[in-house]
Amino acid sequence: MAPKHGPWRAHVVLHDVAERQIDEMPDADREVLDAAIVRLSLDHRIGTRGEGKLEWEYREGRVRVVYIPTVIGTIILVAYVEVD
């Protein structure tokens, strides 16, 4: 019997801006952000798409992530992050 795999996830790529923002965050904020990015990797449609824009935005609690998914959602480019 083949081993059971976890759920499918998109490949998440960080834009330089988002990477710098994450590097400057305290560890506690990174943990909160990491959980949000994992949820996005499982289903990029949990965010909302700006009308007439490529960018999507996901907000949950203290976290805000601006991202651009590929057409079929296999890759997600995270452009901007913030944790309040």
Side-chain angles (χ1 to χ4, degrees):
M1 183 174 196
K4 187 171 184 155
H5 295 283
W8 176 89
R9 293 183 184 194
H11 179 72
V12 176
V13 178
L14 299 175
H15 187 276
D16 294 344
V17 173
E19 195 168 336
R20 279 193 303 272
Q21 291 169 318
I22 292 169
D23 287 343
E24 294 172 4
M25 283 183 185
D27 289 342
D29 288 351
R30 283 186 196 161
E31 287 181 30
V32 173
L33 179 64
D34 183 58
I37 290 176
V38 167
R39 283 188 288 282
L40 280 175
S41 74
L42 293 169
D43 184 5
H44 75 276
R45 295 166 296 182
I46 62 175
T48 56
R49 184 176 181 183
E51 191 171 326
K53 296 184 178 183
L54 292 175
E55 297 89 9
W56 289 58
E57 180 178 57
Y58 175 60
R59 288 181 180 258
E60 180 183 294
R62 302 172 38 219
V63 175
R64 177 178 176 232
V65 180
V66 177
Y67 61 99
I68 303 169
T70 57
V71 173
I72 59 174
T74 56
I75 299 173
I76 297 172
L77 172 63
V78 174
Y80 176 85
V81 296
E82 73 183 42
V83 178
D84 293 334

